[in-house]
Amino acid sequence: MPLDKNWYADMEARIPKGGVRTRFAPSPTGYMHVGNLRTALYTWLIARHSNGTFILRIEDTDQGRLVEGAVDVIYQTMQQCGLIWDEGPDLGGPVGPYIQTERRDLYGKYAELLLEKGGAYRCFCDKERLESLHGESGLGGYDGHCRRLTQEETDAKLAAGVPYVIRQKIPETGSTTFHDVVFGDITVENETLDDQVLIKSDGLPTYNFANVVDDHLMGITHVVRGSEYLSSAPKYNLLYEAFGWEVPQYIHCAPVMRDAHNKMSKRHGDPSYEDLIEQGYLSEAVINYVALLGWSPRGDQAEREFFTLSELAEAFDIGGISKSPAIFDLEKLTYFNAAYLRGLTPEDFHEAAEPYIRQTVKDPALDTRLIAPLLQARCERLTDIPEKVDFFDTLPEYGKELYTNKKSKTNEEISLDMLQRTVPMLEGLQDWSQEVIHDALIGLAGTLGVKNATLMWPLRIAVAGKTVTPGGAVEICHILGKAEVLDRVRKGIDLLSHTPS
């Protein structure tokens, strides 16, 4: 039956023309690994830098690898990162649908068109024959047996109902050259390319075929993907040429590595985006750091490290993408995260920190709005917080050796004296504001003729039971309240007064 050329013409007419159009096309197989996030980010940045269109497409033809709920993970991660799409499954658009399994009828029709144009052929080889080829070569390359069938032989097999796949007809001689923005011109000999399967025997497309058809029909101008796909690029080029379609710009990115020899891998315990958020990193810090994994700003911003997402979109230049693999350095990410935490407004930091404070500070009488400011300059990750503030809820057991501090000029005897003199002063305070507590303690140190630290060190040990705390004695006393402070100071006096038998 002849092909309906009007249908193909209508499909071509739907394709938007004239602007930059990029797509992120993840498979819903679970988590968002760092390399995938970088691909999404670069794709989004290219579109935004050019005032173009960013498309989200779900590639779910490999049904065996699908993970329930993974599409929601993709949506949530993209939104959390600020990578908002202009067209997609939930928004629609002029070239939908945007989920591959909802486009399955298209691929068969384009395979038929490719057959007519001579860029593909039907292959009737059964599993046993293909396995025998694999055994002989050790590579599994197809020998092109069915591309040499006559039309009569093909028609006879079709009439007999013999199952078949549709394979790409790679030229048997010559070479194919494709251009990549990052790696330049790359030429391969056609004889090294396999006649890959485009449509499987069940009628579903392979990834490589669906990808090309969808990119063309959606008007994609720039394709960003990992450098592991460089070897597939010649076959993509040949498909575009066989159809007579314009080839998009390829941007292959070198891998993100755990170290000099190993790519990052979830199997080896390397963190996904979700893992990093759970480990106390801010999404903005992750995005900023990931942008610099394989890309460097140029010109007057060459030395710059910190960018908001909108600033990245303005600065992003494809020419800054490196050919060299990037090594994911958790310490460097932590450095970024600490800077982002310090840069938050007090209100935003409190909102981010409160759940972590409440992991160990359960007492509702203790105000997280007073605790949070003590932490903002003192933590690198949000997950640092619970351990730093656990003493507010419960005074930990501690040894009296903590009261000895050379810098503060204290030992156990001096500390005992300081605490004993502090109790009546604290008892007499009618106003428990931070300013009043501070002035009273400074005044007491002056009256006693000691350095401020000589008084403050033993008081901080008594109320916190730790040598390192967010905030000093004054802030801690203010947050704990008068009754609790006096109780803890008296416990400190008892500890220091006790002489081992």
Side-chain angles (χ1 to χ4, degrees):
M1 191 171 71
L3 299 178
D4 181 357
K5 295 300 173 67
N6 289 329
W7 181 86
Y8 294 103
D10 289 342
M11 293 298 292
E12 290 294 310
R14 294 175 63 198
I15 301 172
K17 299 285 196 301
V20 169
R21 290 174 63 81
T22 69
R23 52 77 174 165
F24 178 55
S27 299
T29 54
Y31 64 95
M32 179 82 79
H33 60 73
V34 170
N36 222 16
L37 176 60
R38 186 185 64 172
T39 299
L41 175 60
Y42 286 6
T43 305
W44 185 89
L45 289 171
I46 290 167
R48 291 292 174 261
H49 183 76
S50 305
N51 294 315
T53 301
F54 176 62
I55 297 165
L56 178 63
R57 183 173 80 218
I58 303 298
E59 298 195 340
D60 62 345
T61 51
D62 190 348
Q63 294 286 301
R65 296 179 62 229
L66 300 189
V67 174
E68 188 175 350
V71 173
D72 292 333
V73 169
I74 293 167
Y75 288 158
Q76 290 163 10
T77 301
M78 297 286 284
Q79 289 165 348
Q80 197 172 350
C81 293
L83 306 181
I84 306 304
W85 50 98
D86 304 302
E87 301 172 21
D90 55 335
L91 298 178
V95 290
Y98 294 86
I99 297 177
Q100 276 191 338
T101 50
E102 296 177 10
R103 300 170 63 83
R104 66 174 63 190
D105 293 343
L106 294 173
Y107 307 120
K109 291 180 179 179
Y110 278 93
E112 292 292 333
L113 179 62
L114 194 61
L115 286 167
E116 183 181 271
K117 288 176 174 288
Y121 61 94
R122 293 181 176 87
C123 172
F124 301 91
C125 293
D126 57 24
K127 185 178 179 181
E128 287 71 28
R129 183 175 189 279
L130 295 175
E131 286 178 349
S132 71
L133 288 175
H134 179 78
E136 289 171 13
S137 67
L139 298 174
Y142 184 62
D143 63 356
H145 172 76
C146 288
R147 70 187 289 160
R148 290 181 282 275
L149 294 177
T150 64
Q151 188 61 49
E152 291 75 18
E153 289 173 315
T154 297
D155 290 342
K157 288 181 180 294
L158 288 172
V162 179
Y164 65 88
V165 299
I166 296 178
R167 289 184 181 272
Q168 182 176 6
K169 184 183 284 187
I170 302 287
E172 294 183 277
T173 59
S175 62
T176 296
T177 298
F178 68 94
H179 179 74
D180 180 81
V181 173
V182 178
F183 290 88
D185 288 336
I186 297 176
T187 300
V188 297
E189 298 302 316
N190 290 332
E191 65 182 7
T192 66
L193 303 176
D194 186 28
D195 286 1
Q196 66 179 344
V197 174
L198 305 178
I199 300 289
K200 295 175 281 191
S201 58
D202 60 5
L204 283 174
T206 58
Y207 166 83
N208 288 331
F209 186 60
N211 203 267
V212 168
V213 172
D214 287 343
D215 282 348
H216 172 70
L217 294 180
M218 292 184 177
I220 302 304
T221 58
H222 297 69
V223 173
V224 182
R225 57 183 172 228
S227 58
E228 64 268 24
Y229 291 102
L230 273 171
S231 60
S232 302
K235 298 178 184 180
Y236 295 148
N237 255 41
L238 289 168
L239 282 173
Y240 280 107
E241 290 169 5
F243 277 118
W245 295 340
E246 185 177 350
V247 179
Q249 285 196 51
Y250 296 128
I251 302 151
H252 288 86
C253 300
V256 179
M257 309 288 284
R258 181 193 328 134
D259 53 42
H261 307 290
N262 299 288
K263 289 176 65 174
M264 287 187 74
S265 165
K266 183 74 170 174
R267 288 195 309 274
H268 292 101
D270 294 317
S272 66
Y273 169 80
E274 294 90 336
D275 293 333
L276 292 172
I277 299 306
E278 287 179 7
Q279 289 168 16
Y281 293 96
L282 295 176
S283 187
E284 296 84 353
V286 174
I287 285 290
N288 191 156
Y289 178 62
V290 166
L292 301 174
L293 285 175
W295 172 80
S296 300
R298 303 199 292 180
D300 58 359
Q301 303 201 67
E303 301 301 317
R304 186 175 174 184
E305 284 186 312
F306 293 95
F307 294 85
T308 65
L309 192 56
S310 60
E311 288 168 345
L312 278 171
E314 187 175 335
F316 195 80
D317 171 5
I318 295 173
I321 298 175
S322 172
K323 296 179 185 178
S324 302
I327 294 179
F328 182 85
D329 182 348
L330 205 56
E331 286 188 16
K332 184 72 170 177
L333 173 59
T334 301
Y335 156 77
F336 272 86
N337 200 64
Y340 270 87
L341 287 172
R342 288 192 294 273
L344 292 175
T345 65
E347 295 76 18
D348 287 344
F349 180 78
H350 174 261
E351 184 179 347
E354 184 177 22
Y356 295 89
I357 296 172
R358 285 300 183 202
Q359 285 180 25
T360 53
V361 182
K362 309 288 188 183
D363 185 349
L366 295 171
D367 189 348
T368 56
R369 293 190 179 278
L370 297 177
I371 297 172
L374 307 183
L375 295 160
Q376 188 162 4
R378 294 177 173 90
C379 64
E380 296 181 316
R381 302 181 304 167
L382 291 169
T383 46
D384 295 341
I385 290 173
E387 185 182 16
K388 289 182 182 291
V389 298
D390 56 1
F391 66 89
F392 280 109
D393 229 36
T394 306
L395 181 68
E397 289 189 14
Y398 65 94
K400 54 187 178 180
E401 68 277 359
L402 299 190
Y403 284 101
T404 299
N405 183 277
K406 287 184 180 179
K407 187 176 180 182
S408 300
K409 299 189 183 314
T410 64
N411 56 28
E412 294 175 21
E413 184 181 345
I414 292 171
S415 294
L416 176 59
D417 182 43
M418 293 297 104
L419 293 182
Q420 287 172 332
R421 292 175 181 273
T422 301
V423 169
M425 182 275 291
L426 294 176
E427 286 177 329
L429 293 182
Q430 300 303 308
D431 180 352
W432 198 256
S433 67
Q434 187 167 311
E435 184 179 2
V436 168
I437 297 168
H438 172 272
D439 291 347
L441 287 169
I442 297 301
L444 178 59
T447 300
L448 297 174
V450 298
K451 290 174 56 177
N452 293 338
T454 304
L455 180 67
M456 297 294 192
W457 180 267
L459 179 57
R460 182 152 67 101
I461 297 300
V463 295
K466 289 184 171 187
T467 57
V468 178
T469 58
V474 173
E475 294 94 339
I476 295 168
C477 287
H478 177 229
I479 293 166
L480 284 173
K482 183 175 180 178
E484 180 66 18
V485 167
L486 285 167
D487 182 59
R488 292 187 181 195
V489 171
R490 291 185 179 113
K491 286 179 179 175
I493 291 170
D494 287 344
L495 177 65
L496 289 168
S497 300
H498 179 70
T499 304
S501 55

